[in-house]
Amino acid sequence: PMDLQGAIGRVQLEKFESIHQLRRDNKSEIGAVLEAQIEGLRVPGELDGAHTSWFGVPVVCRDRSLKEALVAHLEENRIQTRNYFSGNILRHPAYSDLGDPAEYPNAEQVLDRTFFLGCSPTISPQMIEHIRRVVTNFQYQG
């Protein structure tokens, strides 16, 4: 399997720059759609000096209620989302003996308010238009 993975990787490296640019463009477009249509969320940018190859569009909502409502709306309309990594790692059984999760309120807040939309280089203009339509129809009663 390693030889096959290496062969695939070599071909992918030839496309590295175009894949990287597509990810950056898609993150920018999807982020702009979200921020223009939904009050109470932000899409973080990159740090000065960074040149991020986005695997996902991070979305930070003002509260858990908005996150849950928006995620449900997106998923109901065939737009997949993912939670922000592990959240507070002390909530995982393997790490439960390392401390009290409640002692890390920022980690709790990130888990409650943040999620991702995918940022694949295969996202097409039609897919971004679908995201725009779905987001435009989102109604939050929070």
Side-chain angles (χ1 to χ4, degrees), residues 1-10:
M2 296 303 287
D3 290 343
L4 178 60
Q5 290 172 333
I8 292 169
R10 285 190 65 191

Side-chain angles (χ1 to χ4, degrees), residues 88 90 98-108:
N88 189 338
L90 296 180
L98 296 179
D100 180 2
E103 293 178 15
Y104 299 89
N106 290 340
E108 292 295 305

Side-chain angles (χ1 to χ4, degrees), residues 73-139:
H73 179 74
L74 293 168
E75 292 283 342
E76 287 168 7
N77 287 279
R78 303 184 69 202
I79 299 171
Q80 290 187 348
T81 64
R82 294 291 182 267
N83 229 5
Y84 179 76
F85 301 117
S86 65
N88 189 338
I89 199 163
L90 296 180
R91 291 202 175 279
H92 291 257
Y95 301 98
S96 62
D97 63 329
L98 296 179
D100 180 2
E103 293 178 15
Y104 299 89
N106 290 340
E108 292 295 305
Q109 208 174 67
V110 167
L111 183 60
D112 285 347
R113 298 176 39 212
T114 306
F115 70 96
F116 284 102
L117 274 83
C119 196
S120 166
T122 62
I123 293 175
S124 67
Q126 294 83 5
M127 292 172 174
I128 291 176
E129 186 53 37
H130 175 67
I131 293 169
R132 184 183 323 279
R133 281 192 307 273
V134 168
V135 168
T136 299
N137 292 327
F138 177 66
Q139 296 180 3

Side-chain angles (χ1 to χ4, degrees), residues 27 31 35 41-47 54 56-60 114-115:
K27 189 270 185 184
E35 289 183 325
L41 68 73
R42 68 182 181 83
V43 175
E46 62 190 0
L47 299 173
W54 300 95
V57 179
V59 180
V60 180
T114 306
F115 70 96

